[in-house]
Amino acid sequence: VVKPVESAGSDGVKLCHSYEEAKEHFHLLMNSQQRVGGAGSHAAVLCQEFLRGKEYVVDHVSLNGVHKTTMCWVYDKRPANGSAFVYFGLQPIDSESEEAKIIIPYIRGVLDAMGIKYGPTHGEVMMTSDGPCLVEMNCRAHGGDGNWVPMVRGLNGGYSQV
């Protein structure tokens, strides 16, 4: 998987099936304008192993190194329009589910390992046949447009990252 470092919503992310395809996409990204960071940002590309399994999101807010889980989600990603994975949506999962009992402590361990003690975080983890594997960790609240806020308030009585 070849993707831009500064991006969102799978923009510019591609599952490459050969070294040549990966090299071509790398150069495309390095020379394109697909940069969320805006003026003065430096292009960078990340190559990741393709992970098979379900992808989950665990959102936290932290204060003094105490991490409070605000929400857990499972992504609905499918192939579409020539892309290997397109977001169709996400569904909340119960924090008492078997998956959540594995991924919440895993993501909290990632936060501790990274030394993150304050603020909102948005962690993405793939549940593989070998167990959880980190996809990415973002030091920001979930989503750019906040369309998830009303649902979170309705599901958990108002506790959110905001």
Side-chain angles (χ1 to χ4, degrees):
V1 177
V2 180
K3 66 185 194 178
V5 171
E6 293 184 5
S7 185
S10 293
D11 181 40
V13 179
K14 184 173 184 180
L15 175 60
C16 298
H17 299 279
S18 70
Y19 173 78
E20 287 303 318
E21 188 178 3
K23 184 176 172 183
E24 182 179 310
H25 193 61
F26 172 86
H27 288 295
L28 172 76
L29 292 174
M30 289 299 289
N31 296 309
S32 71
Q33 296 300 309
Q34 295 180 337
R35 296 186 205 137
V36 173
S41 65
H42 302 285
V45 174
L46 178 65
C47 297
Q48 292 180 307
E49 172 187 5
F50 177 70
L51 301 169
R52 295 190 191 286
K54 281 189 177 181
E55 188 173 356
Y56 294 87
V57 173
V58 184
D59 295 322
H60 281 91
V61 66
S62 303
L63 179 64
N64 294 323
V66 176
H67 312 298
K68 299 290 185 178
T69 306
T70 58
M71 210 57 197
C72 294
W73 313 82
V74 62
Y75 277 132
D76 177 9
K77 286 184 174 180
R78 299 177 237 163
N81 303 321
S83 179
F85 25 77
V86 173
Y87 289 96
F88 279 75
L90 67 165
Q91 295 292 319
I93 64 167
D94 189 334
S95 62
E96 296 299 317
S97 68
E98 292 298 318
E99 299 93 338
K101 288 179 181 180
I102 296 169
I103 61 176
I104 290 172
Y106 176 83
I107 290 292
R108 287 181 179 175
V110 169
L111 294 172
D112 290 339
M114 294 179 71
I116 298 171
K117 296 182 179 196
Y118 297 94
T121 53
H122 174 77
E124 298 179 358
V125 60
M126 188 75 71
M127 186 60 79
T128 72
S129 59
D130 294 327
C133 185
L134 184 67
V135 174
E136 61 185 52
M137 177 58 69
N138 299 283
C139 294
R140 62 169 173 79
H142 181 111
D145 59 6
N147 63 359
W148 50 271
V149 173
M151 181 173 24
V152 169
R153 285 187 182 138
L155 290 170
N156 66 18
Y159 187 59
S160 79
Q161 292 177 295
V162 179

